[in-house]
């Protein structure tokens, strides 16, 4: 099937609007559950404010956060052979929404700090190939600076135990505190090269709340990190509370016998994700 810029731009525009203004149902439900079980008054009030704000954003079509972030799009299936068209269509969609004031202009030159004014240019937005599925899909995530700034990569010694890894992850959480706008979703990439680990940590943020890795050892590690992270008591917005993490998702890759890279990506409570899948001859929003 052929994909043109003209055909792709409307669905990418829809995805951008959706991701900017609406939380996925699974994330919204996780925040509601956190609110229902929260025992600290201040944290409960913060979660109430988050739910109220998310409701208003959905109702009025306003951004969930003033920092509409950088756009990353993962493509798979037949779209892999049409990367150029996808990049052009996504750039047009980002330019349109920015011109309308629906997205804040965030893209700047890394040295001069000059803003492009369009959320495009300088290799932005980024389009990455996802080989984890054969489905023809587009998975979009918007990452603001608050969560992105605490992305972490550590090349651990290959003899490090799971307990060593857990200690490192918890230390990263402690150092981030409330600056990543918790409750967070934690995406972790373990193994591969340093680049693979970083890629996998961000891709992990696209998984639905409550999903577990198919490898039972990895799945058990996910739940262990989730439990230990919440026991830190950092809580909503770092003000203390029962829920620091909504979930933990790990993606793995084979690595060198002398390597053990671990990458950590934070999703803030507004983990803005949109997924569209080709069904028949049309792309339809599935998340």
């Amino acid at each position: 099937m052929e994909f043109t810029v003209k055909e792709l731009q409307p669905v990418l525009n829809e995805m951008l609007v959706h991701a900017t203004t609406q939380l996925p149902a699974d994330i919204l439900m996780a925040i509601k559950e956190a609110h229902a079980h929260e025992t600290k008054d201040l944290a409960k009030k913060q979660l109430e404010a988050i739910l109220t704000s998310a409701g208003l954003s959905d109702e009025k079509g306003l951004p969930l956060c003033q920092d509409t972030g950088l756009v990353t799009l993962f493509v798979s299936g037949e779209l892999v052979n049409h990367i150029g068209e996808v990049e052009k269509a996504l750039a047009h969609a980002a330019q349109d929404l920015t011109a309308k004031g629906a997205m804040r202009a965030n893209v700047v030159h890394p040295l001069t700090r000059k803003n492009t004014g369009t959320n495009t240019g300088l290799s932005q937005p980024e389009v990455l190939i996802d080989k984890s599925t054969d489905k023809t899909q587009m998975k979009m995530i918007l990452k603001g600076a608050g969560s992105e700034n605490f992305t972490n990569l550590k090349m651990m010694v290959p003899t490090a135990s799971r307990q060593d890894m857990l200690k490192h992850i918890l230390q990263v959480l402690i150092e981030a505190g409330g600056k990543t706008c918790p409750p967070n979703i934690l995406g972790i990439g373990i193994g591969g090269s340093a680049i693979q680990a970083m890629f996998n940590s961000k891709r992990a943020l696209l998984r639905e709340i409550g999903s577990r890795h198919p490898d039972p050892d990895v799945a058990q590690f996910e739940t262990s990190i989730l439990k230990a992270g919440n026991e830190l008591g950092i809580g909503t917005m770092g003000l203390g509370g029962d829920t620091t993490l909504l979930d933990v998702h790990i993606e793995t890759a084979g690595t060198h016998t002398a390597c053990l890279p671990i990458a950590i990506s934070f999703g803030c409570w507004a983990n803005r994700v949109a997924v569209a899948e080709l069904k028949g001859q049309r792309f339809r929003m599935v998340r």
Side-chain angles (χ1 to χ4, degrees), residues 186-209:
L186 215 57
I188 301 174
I190 303 177
S193 66
I195 293 173
Q196 277 182 301
M198 292 300 303
F199 177 96
N200 281 335
S201 72
K202 182 168 281 191
R203 185 169 65 84
L205 294 175
L206 294 164
R207 281 171 42 192
E208 291 192 21
I209 300 290

Side-chain angles (χ1 to χ4, degrees), residues 2 15 44 47 60 90 102 118 143 148 150 162 242 247:
E2 292 296 318
M15 291 175 73
K44 202 171 187 71
L47 288 165
K60 298 181 180 294
L90 180 58
T118 61
K143 287 286 258 73
E148 190 74 358
F150 283 86
R162 290 187 202 179
D242 302 314
D247 212 344

Side-chain angles (χ1 to χ4, degrees), residues 154-160 190-194 254-262:
K154 183 175 178 64
M155 305 303 287
M156 299 192 73
V157 296
T159 54
I190 303 177
S193 66
T255 193
H256 190 284
T257 184
C259 289
L260 181 55
I262 296 186

Side-chain angles (χ1 to χ4, degrees), residues 21-23 51-64:
T21 61
Q22 297 178 50
L23 279 179
L51 289 169
T52 299
S53 178
L56 287 170
S57 293
D58 187 12
E59 178 186 339
K60 298 181 180 294
L62 296 172
L64 286 157

Side-chain angles (χ1 to χ4, degrees), residues 2-16:
E2 292 296 318
F3 299 98
T4 66
V5 173
K6 185 177 180 180
E7 292 168 335
L8 291 168
Q9 188 176 341
V11 67
L12 284 165
N13 188 81
E14 182 184 2
M15 291 175 73
L16 268 176

Side-chain angles (χ1 to χ4, degrees), residues 85-127:
E85 288 80 3
V86 175
E87 290 175 334
K88 290 175 185 177
L90 180 58
H92 288 323
Q95 288 167 359
D96 286 352
L97 261 69
T98 306
K100 294 174 182 176
M103 293 183 70
R104 188 177 77 183
N106 287 321
V107 174
V108 302
H109 188 283
L111 297 181
T112 66
R113 310 306 291 181
K114 182 179 179 181
N115 200 309
T116 67
T118 61
N119 275 314
T120 64
L122 304 172
S123 300
Q124 293 293 339
E126 63 179 349
V127 178

